[in-house]
Each structure stands twice: as C-alpha cells, then as structure tokens.
Amino acid sequence: SYVLTQPPSVSVAPGKTARITCGGNNIGSKSVHWYQQKPGQAPVLVIYYDSDRPSGIPERFSGSNSGNTATLTISRVEAGDEADYYCQVWDSSSDRYVVFGGGTKLTVL
Amino acid sequence: QVQLQESGPGLVKPSQTLSLTCTVSGGSISSGSYYWSWIRQPAGKGLEWIGRIYTSGSTNYNPSLKSRVTISVDTSKNQFSLKLSSVTAADTAVYYCARHIAVAGTDYFDYWGQGTLVTVSS
C-alpha cells in the first residue's frame, strides 16, 4: 500500500513562510491534494491538483510536487492559519483507494 | 452551495453494526460525475477513508475495512449511507461524509459534512 509521510509538527512566526512536506514514493507522478482542519471542524480543501486553489482560499496558499516530495507553502502566515494539514492522493494500484498523510500540526508562534 | 449532513446513532455496542446516513442538499446527488465518500477520524488521530459510491451504485472500499463495510445510495432521498459491521472500540471516531471528485486519474473531496461522533461501547 502507498504511504504518505508528513512531519508531525511545523512552527512558524507570524508573517513568515511555512512549508509542510508530504513524502511518498515517486509522489511527483501523482496529483496531491491538501486539507486544512481546525479544531472541532471538518477538513477544508486548500490545494488540489498539486497547486490549484479552490475559490475562497487565499493566494498565500500554494503547492508544489516533484520527485518524492510534495510541499504546501503558506506565505505571510497568520494566526488563523494554525491548524492541522493533511496531504492526500489516490492510489491507482490494484486496490484503488484514497490515501491520507498522517497530518502536520502548524503552530503559529 | 452543496451541503452534507451526517445522521445516526452516537453510541453503538461492540459487535453490532454502525449505521449512518448522509443527506445532501443544495443539489441533486445524481447530478454531475461525483462520487460520495465516508471518511473517519479517531480522536486526536488522522483521517481514514472508508469508501465511496457512485450514483450508479458502484463502490470502492478501503482494503483494510472492505470485509465490514457497505455503502449504499438512495437517489430518491438524496442520501447515501454507511454500514460498518462487527464494530469494536477501535471504530470509535468522528465520521464524515464528503463529495468525492474523481477526474483524470485522481480523487479529492471538495465538500464535507460537519462530522458525527460515533462511540463504540457497551
């Protein structure tokens, strides 16, 4: 089965840039999607197809994907960006199923 | 604006079957090329995809849960449902329903329900 690896936590000061990684075998050949989840709330899609932003998501959120690592970048971090972030892919192997990373807690210092 | 709402018992006894329903509003569950999925999250842990259904009735399940899961759809009620059999305490989680987009060889979720907590306990 396909495994996605995320760092458990990332800390950043307000106004700085946060980078959250998602590692997987040849993940660059897959489309990666990212979700933001605040405490007690459902996840919200913030990036799809590696780097596209849904309507209503600030331009401060961007994504990239190459080789064995996908990255969610949050520029000019705000206190309201503090949340858990999950990457996700579709595993098109014989099992054909959705895979989530373990999640990264973003702390705004 | 599509909205999803989960409903069902918040407490299920061990070895019994967990049953949840997701009601879709703001659009027909049959319109567009969408799948509909169930996802769960144990307290303090990550997200786990359970399975998906297309309005034709075609399903795909997480291999780790496949033997215990059944997802069905009722287009007349704009609902889809989850049944998880032989539950144990490990199945205690917040259960989410979500709209599942499957395009160009990839899948993602653009709308989510608020989630419902299901506790497995005697």
Side-chain angles (χ1 to χ4, degrees), chain A residues 26-77:
Chain A
N26 197 26
I27 195 174
S29 67
K30 301 180 182 295
S31 289
V32 180
H33 318 291
W34 292 90
Y35 303 87
Q36 175 194 69
Q37 186 180 34
K38 296 182 178 179
Q41 298 184 18
V44 172
L45 179 70
V46 293
I47 292 289
Y48 64 106
Y49 287 133
D50 296 339
S51 59
D52 288 347
R53 277 178 292 103
S55 172
I57 300 300
E59 291 183 6
R60 301 184 298 103
F61 288 80
S62 62
S64 62
N65 183 19
S66 178
N68 293 317
T69 304
T71 303
L72 172 68
T73 301
I74 309 172
S75 305
R76 302 181 300 283
V77 167

Side-chain angles (χ1 to χ4, degrees), chain A residues 31-33 35 37 40-45 48-49 86 88-90 92 95-98 100-102, chain B residues 39 41 45-49 52 60-63 96 100 103-110 112-114:
Chain A
S31 289
V32 180
H33 318 291
Y35 303 87
Q37 186 180 34
Q41 298 184 18
V44 172
L45 179 70
Y48 64 106
Y49 287 133
Y86 294 90
Q88 176 252 308
V89 300
W90 171 255
S92 55
D95 287 335
R96 298 177 67 228
Y97 67 109
V98 171
F100 286 102
Chain B
I39 297 151
Q41 184 174 37
K45 297 188 177 181
L47 301 166
E48 180 180 35
W49 179 70
R52 70 177 186 179
N60 297 97
Y61 299 130
N62 187 322
Y96 295 100
H100 181 147
V103 175
T106 190
D107 294 46
Y108 60 94
F109 309 100
D110 61 345
W112 296 63
Q114 65 184 27

Side-chain angles (χ1 to χ4, degrees), chain B residues 67-88:
Chain B
S67 63
R68 298 194 293 129
V69 174
T70 301
I71 296 177
S72 59
V73 64
D74 186 337
T75 55
S76 67
K77 295 182 178 179
N78 235 31
Q79 295 176 335
F80 63 107
S81 299
L82 168 70
K83 290 188 185 298
L84 181 65
S85 64
S86 305
V87 297
T88 68

Side-chain angles (χ1 to χ4, degrees), chain B residues 54-67:
Chain B
Y54 195 62
T55 49
S56 65
S58 172
T59 55
N60 297 97
Y61 299 130
N62 187 322
S64 68
L65 298 168
K66 187 174 183 177
S67 63

